[in-house]
Amino acid sequence: MNVSVMQENLARGLSVVSRAVSTRSTLPVLGNVLIRTEDAGLKLTATNLEIGITYWVPGKIEKDGAITVPARLLTDIVAGLPSSERVELELQASNTLRIRCGRFESHVKGIDAEEFPAIPTAGERPTTRISQKVLKHALNQTTFAAASDEARPILTGVLWHFEGDQLTLAAADNYRIAVKTIATLDPVEETSLVVPARSLNELARVLNDTDDPVEVMLAPARNQVLFHLEGIDLVSRLIDGQFPNYQQVLPKGHTTRTVVDRDELFKAVRLAALIANAAANIVKLQVGADGGGVVVTAAAEVGDNEGLVEATVEGDGTTIAFNSRYLSDVLQNVTAEQFAIELNGPLSPGVFRPIGDDTYTHVVMPVRTTS
Amino acid sequence: MAHDRRVTERTILHVDLDAFFAAVEQRDRPELRGRPVVVGGGMPDQRGVVSAASYEARRFGIRSAMPLRTAGALCPEAVFLPVDGRKYQAVSREVMTILRRFTPLVEPISIDEAFLDVTASRALFGDGPTIGRTIRAAILAEVRLTASVGVASSKLVAKIASDLRKPDALVVVETGGEAAFLAPLAIQRLWGVGERTSAALAELGVTTMGELAALPNDLLVRRFGRHGAKLAERARGLDDDPVSEGAPVKSISHEHTFDIDTNDPVLIDKTLLAMADGVAGRLRSAGLRAATVQVKIRDSAFRTITRQRTLAEPTDLAQPIWRTALELARPEMRGIHVRLLGVGTSGFAEREQLTLFSEEAAGEDGRRRRATEAADAIRRRFGDRAVTRARLLGSGLPAPFERDPMKPLERRTGMIDRTTDPAGDSGRGSGRDSGGGGRSRGGGRRPVA
């Protein structure tokens, strides 16, 4: 193998695929990135067996070939090379990759490409296409709500429910749930799958803020889903099992509704969280207390905090306690100028809706407090 | 010269059982009396260290924390016995019960020692030395063990006093005589003086507390910072640390010191599981759920770190405690050999995070809870060893027991009716530890001798 690529293209490619590199695998080759000449360029591939990312870097091939080298080392070396320079990669004897760039020359020992697991890439007809911008936005609003611990594996994933030209994404961790509906460019027969939130975070990272579509290929038989955009293929395994029936836990009505400015509420919650940190992260929202507004309070042994947020309040008014982290998460990830919060008393779920976007719903379960 | 009022008014006792583990064995097996007895992780041909040595064994130079092999070489005729944690724990509880007769202000600092503030008890039981003598006699008569007692005006001096003429001794330091009492003693006897500090002090020509007390304050502060000023105060016997039987206990924890420092991930996982099991069992028997899990890791260089995390939902089940402990411990394990591991829980709150999918949650956690409750019922009926996890079978881990401070159950929780105190409470909490990571004072963690 002998190929020349531009430093910044190679560096960008390595930074994308290295997100999929397995950091603690018993299989040494999974700590490597696969480099293969293909299509007048270089294909970089990494996988941790949950997710695989392939990135195509344009280049000039002198001689075809393939090798795997430690991903971290190669990424660091390439990042340290002068930008806007040509990098020449040449496979030498005994699986050694020579990296030359300007006055620099490195040799890195690799593992034979044959040992790298096969990662599917696009090639089949896409099941559907989705605007990159729209999907990226939807992922940013949902994946954070997925469970991070493995107690219930199904909740570490995000439900993708296709129906007609609509896709509904739902992520939940048993204490909160985020639901977002977006449009697909091609209709899909009704189907559901659960994609690991970790994979979707990587997908969101590579999606661009453009209307150009990302192609989605469902391969339920292989238990995989594949995303293709210009120069990048991302394949993820799916999570087996039944996603909980979330629709039945979404509140149907409310007795109190308040509309608040997101920045103002976020500010108050962040301040209260500093105190709440010492008391199981409990912050209270007094909605409609003292003639309107929302009062955000926290109290712990270290001290207490109170912040008043201007708001319009309809209905009875109530006081409800939440884990401050869940409030911060939704206020941080869901960009809207204003939020409507719908409540049914202190022990019923709170519904957060961005004003002006009826395709998104976020539900947070409250905390029962004694006082 | 007038003494600090806070200090002069108090009478503090430090009660320390002599060669505790070994003494209990000698008490229960008369044939061992007068013979060198070594309690430790195994036989002298095994790897492992001495947990406790009888005074007969100490005459051969055997010390706590010494490899068993070395002990065997020093004294081949010594009797080597395994550690019977549960027995020592039960005996310890009897002793603490005796101590509580004399004052409610009892602060156990390990399985075999405690501080007592008897200032207010003098009217009832006589002065400090009299109470000290009465306690020694009561422990001997009722538990058939000897204890050394230090009587002084502060915890610091009382502890140094009890240690001075061990075993079976009462040492009284009169109020006002603290500085003179301490002056000839080696600085290593002071709290907060470890190898590094004593080496630094030696450079200044200081080896005794008298010499330390004589150093100018500003020199100490320059050399040791704030710690320096404290050092000189202590060397003069000034210490106003109160004896705290404490508010309701804020944490429940288990610790395990490995016989041999380890970096074996399987052993570490299993040890954490065993401790999570023990802690969760105690939470359940106290009717508590804990919101915060912490791990404590001490490496072979005696560096101690603690890490903690608050759970989304308070728990009394081993599984979430173990999982969290694992997640906290794993990143810290790289490149170190672990000497001690601890799993603790705190944040006992009635607060309850409501869940979205209660029905499904009952599927997973509910099954686990039912299994746990069934196992608890079996243990109550047939003993603690009747049921254990398959994973922990043959792991060679000792049944968890604590060298930690112990408190009566009702005080631990602050919410349990004395009359319903569940029999066979499996342990105690440690209020002092709740800060996490703090240096253990008063030698609470020293190997029990």
Side-chain angles (χ1 to χ4, degrees):
Chain A
M1 181 180 83
N2 188 342
V3 59
S4 300
V5 293
M6 295 305 291
Q7 187 272 346
E8 58 263 40
N9 293 343
L10 182 58
R12 153 114 178 115
L14 285 170
S15 79
V16 169
V17 299
S18 62
R19 304 280 310 177
V21 170
S22 184
T23 44
R24 44 176 185 196
S25 172
T26 47
L27 222 58
V29 77
L30 294 185
N32 284 11
V33 56
L34 171 68
I35 305 171
R36 180 189 297 280
T37 56
E38 204 174 311
D39 299 339
L42 202 54
K43 266 198 170 160
L44 309 172
T45 303
T47 182
N48 56 21
L49 300 182
E50 175 173 277
I51 179 175
I53 305 180
T54 302
Y55 189 100
W56 180 79
V57 183
K60 188 160 162 264
I61 303 172
E62 298 288 336
K63 188 175 172 225
D64 281 318
I67 181 69
T68 82
V69 288
R72 180 74 186 278
L73 182 59
L74 182 65
T75 306
D76 289 350
I77 287 175
V78 171
L81 294 175
S83 50
S84 317
E85 292 256 2
R86 269 158 45 100
V87 181
E88 186 196 327
L89 303 171
E90 188 185 344
L91 180 56
Q92 300 188 317
S94 62
N95 287 333
T96 298
L97 182 71
R98 185 180 71 180
I99 306 147
R100 277 207 306 196
C101 179
R103 291 170 288 116
F104 300 99
E105 177 168 332
S106 314
H107 295 87
V108 176
K109 296 204 173 65
I111 300 175
D112 198 296
E114 291 299 307
E115 294 193 24
F116 202 80
I119 303 296
T121 52
E124 314 158 41
R125 216 168 60 85
T127 311
T128 186
R129 296 165 304 138
I130 305 169
S131 152
Q132 289 193 39
K133 190 169 71 182
V134 168
L135 182 58
K136 185 185 178 95
H137 187 59
L139 291 175
N140 288 340
Q141 292 186 338
T142 48
T143 55
F144 69 89
S148 54
D149 71 53
E150 299 282 342
R152 299 182 62 196
I154 193 81
L155 293 183
T156 64
V158 177
L159 174 73
W160 289 50
H161 179 76
F162 291 96
E163 192 172 359
D165 55 5
Q166 295 228 310
L167 166 63
T168 300
L169 303 173
D173 70 358
N174 211 14
Y175 311 114
R176 54 173 167 181
I177 182 163
V179 183
K180 171 81 177 175
T181 302
I182 56 176
T184 58
L185 300 179
D186 314 288
V188 184
E189 203 176 304
E190 182 173 358
T191 182
S192 287
L193 44 128
V194 179
V195 188
R198 280 190 298 262
S199 303
L200 295 176
N201 284 331
E202 298 313 324
L203 176 63
R205 203 179 281 274
V206 297
L207 289 173
N208 300 302
D209 282 314
T210 135
D211 286 321
D212 293 346
V214 51
E215 294 178 359
V216 183
M217 273 136 282
L218 305 185
R222 290 202 309 263
N223 202 30
Q224 282 175 338
V225 58
L226 201 143
F227 302 95
H228 173 74
L229 52 149
E230 190 60 40
I232 300 177
D233 285 306
L234 190 148
V235 61
S236 173
R237 77 173 173 90
L238 300 176
I239 299 177
D240 279 332
Q242 186 71 39
F243 198 83
N245 182 359
Y246 67 89
Q247 262 141 349
Q248 70 185 21
V249 301
L250 301 180
K252 302 286 181 282
H254 57 265
T255 54
T256 305
R257 181 173 190 271
T258 179
V259 176
V260 291
D261 186 271
R262 182 189 72 134
D263 287 347
E264 293 299 311
L265 183 61
F266 193 18
K267 226 176 274 172
V269 167
R270 265 188 305 200
L271 269 179
L274 297 175
I275 297 287
N277 233 332
N281 293 328
I282 310 292
V283 299
K284 283 186 188 170
L285 305 186
Q286 296 168 19
V287 179
D290 303 333
V294 175
V295 181
V296 182
T297 64
E301 271 176 40
V302 294
D304 55 57
N305 169 275
E306 188 175 309
L308 173 66
V309 181
E310 279 182 38
T312 60
V313 179
E314 304 158 22
D316 304 344
T318 186
T319 295
I320 188 166
F322 290 110
N323 185 324
S324 64
R325 231 188 65 214
Y326 300 152
L327 293 183
S328 296
D329 276 354
V330 62
L331 293 171
Q332 184 176 345
N333 289 296
V334 182
T335 47
E337 297 222 338
Q338 288 188 310
F339 264 94
I341 305 173
E342 297 167 2
L343 304 170
N344 284 295
L347 297 180
S348 300
V351 183
F352 295 73
R353 300 182 195 278
I355 296 287
D357 176 5
D358 55 7
T359 62
Y360 183 79
T361 305
H362 193 92
V363 177
V364 182
M365 293 303 289
V367 175
R368 189 200 307 269
T369 59
T370 42
S371 50
Chain B
M1 192 178 113
H3 288 277
D4 189 327
R5 202 172 47 82
R6 291 166 305 176
V7 173
T8 52
E9 282 182 356
R10 298 193 301 162
T11 299
I12 309 294
L13 268 58
H14 179 254
V15 178
D16 195 354
L17 296 166
D18 300 319
F20 179 49
F21 293 1
V24 171
E25 299 296 348
Q26 286 179 319
R27 176 193 77 172
D28 294 348
R29 297 170 58 176
E31 74 275 15
L32 298 179
R33 288 179 201 159
R35 295 180 59 189
V37 173
V38 175
V39 179
M43 291 292 116
D45 57 338
Q46 288 175 300
R47 287 154 51 95
V49 294
V50 175
S51 286
S54 73
Y55 283 90
E56 294 84 354
R58 292 184 199 195
R59 257 175 242 128
F60 291 89
I62 298 176
R63 295 285 176 268
S64 293
M66 175 182 276
L68 287 169
R69 222 176 279 233
T70 313
L74 285 169
C75 180
E77 65 270 34
V79 181
F80 288 83
L81 297 172
V83 178
D84 185 351
R86 277 175 193 281
K87 180 156 78 175
Y88 310 145
Q89 193 175 298
V91 177
S92 171
R93 202 171 296 139
E94 292 173 41
V95 173
M96 298 300 166
T97 308
I98 293 174
L99 301 183
R100 288 200 175 86
R101 278 185 223 153
F102 296 88
T103 171
L105 289 173
V106 175
E107 179 185 347
I109 52 175
S110 77
I111 195 166
D112 62 348
E113 54 179 326
F115 287 114
L116 287 72
D117 185 335
V118 296
T119 310
S121 315
R122 289 176 302 195
L124 285 172
F125 302 107
D127 63 3
T130 308
I131 297 177
R133 274 189 286 275
T134 316
I135 285 176
R136 279 170 30 79
I139 293 175
L140 186 62
E142 297 173 37
V143 192
R144 291 184 292 129
L145 291 174
T146 64
S148 294
V149 175
V151 183
S153 59
S154 66
K155 285 162 73 169
L156 169 82
V157 180
K159 170 138 174 83
I160 292 171
S162 75
D163 198 42
L164 202 61
R165 283 202 268 286
K166 268 176 126 353
D168 200 13
L170 174 76
V171 174
V172 180
V173 181
E174 294 296 340
T175 299
E178 292 89 357
F181 165 77
L182 295 177
L185 302 178
I187 45 168
Q188 284 84 354
R189 288 180 181 270
L190 269 190
W191 291 344
V193 176
E195 259 172 58
R196 228 178 296 168
T197 309
S198 60
L201 285 169
E203 281 173 26
L204 299 172
V206 170
T207 57
T208 68
M209 291 196 223
E211 289 160 356
L212 175 57
L215 281 187
N217 232 343
D218 55 336
L219 171 70
L220 280 167
V221 172
R222 265 205 313 279
R223 183 66 185 77
F224 299 102
R226 254 190 313 180
H227 182 52
K230 202 84 198 160
L231 274 182
E233 264 187 30
R234 291 201 195 130
R236 292 182 199 107
L238 298 179
D239 164 43
D240 57 4
D241 192 23
V243 172
S244 56
E245 38 75 66
V249 161
K250 293 176 186 147
S251 78
I252 288 183
S253 61
H254 272 203
E255 289 184 3
H256 178 73
T257 304
F258 293 100
D259 288 338
I260 309 147
D261 298 355
T262 183
N263 63 354
D264 173 5
V266 175
L267 180 60
I268 286 166
D269 282 13
K270 281 187 179 176
T271 306
L272 289 173
L273 176 59
M275 289 190 290
D277 243 351
V279 167
R282 286 171 52 201
L283 284 170
R284 289 193 299 275
S285 74
L288 297 173
R289 291 187 186 201
T292 302
V293 174
Q294 61 233 2
V295 293
K296 176 166 163 186
I297 302 159
R298 179 171 298 153
D299 69 7
S300 35
F302 272 82
R303 278 183 300 257
T304 306
I305 57 164
T306 59
R307 294 286 179 268
Q308 65 173 50
R309 183 182 300 163
T310 299
L311 306 170
E313 200 179 1
T315 189
D316 58 2
L317 293 176
Q319 192 71 17
I321 294 173
W322 179 47
R323 213 169 37 229
T324 308
L326 267 181
E327 284 168 17
L328 290 169
R330 269 207 187 117
E332 309 297 338
M333 294 295 179
R334 257 171 237 133
I336 66 167
H337 278 75
V338 182
R339 175 185 168 78
L340 173 148
L341 272 181
V343 172
T345 54
S346 56
F348 307 133
E350 306 89 85
R351 300 190 185 92
E352 199 187 330
Q353 169 72 58
L354 304 179
T355 58
L356 269 174
F357 309 114
S358 49
E359 203 179 314
E360 279 115 334
E364 175 96 5
D365 269 5
R367 274 205 314 279
R368 202 165 266 148
R369 177 165 299 283
R370 284 197 297 279
T372 303
E373 280 167 5
D376 280 351
I378 292 170
R379 289 195 191 99
R380 272 197 297 276
R381 192 154 164 211
F382 299 106
D384 282 350
R385 286 167 181 274
V387 185
T388 190
R389 287 172 189 272
R391 208 187 145 101
L392 295 178
L393 273 178
S395 62
L397 291 169
F401 79 103
E402 263 194 311
R403 297 154 194 245
D404 265 7
M406 51 187 81
K407 312 233 174 187
L409 185 70
E410 67 274 18
R411 202 169 282 143
R412 270 214 331 258
T413 61
M415 57 177 85
I416 292 190
D417 184 352
R418 271 160 212 269
T419 56
T420 61
D421 188 348
D425 158 38
S426 56
R428 310 134 313 253
S430 61
R432 293 187 73 93
D433 267 3
S434 56
R439 186 173 310 162
S440 167
R441 295 181 55 186
R445 291 290 183 281
R446 75 183 164 80
V448 179

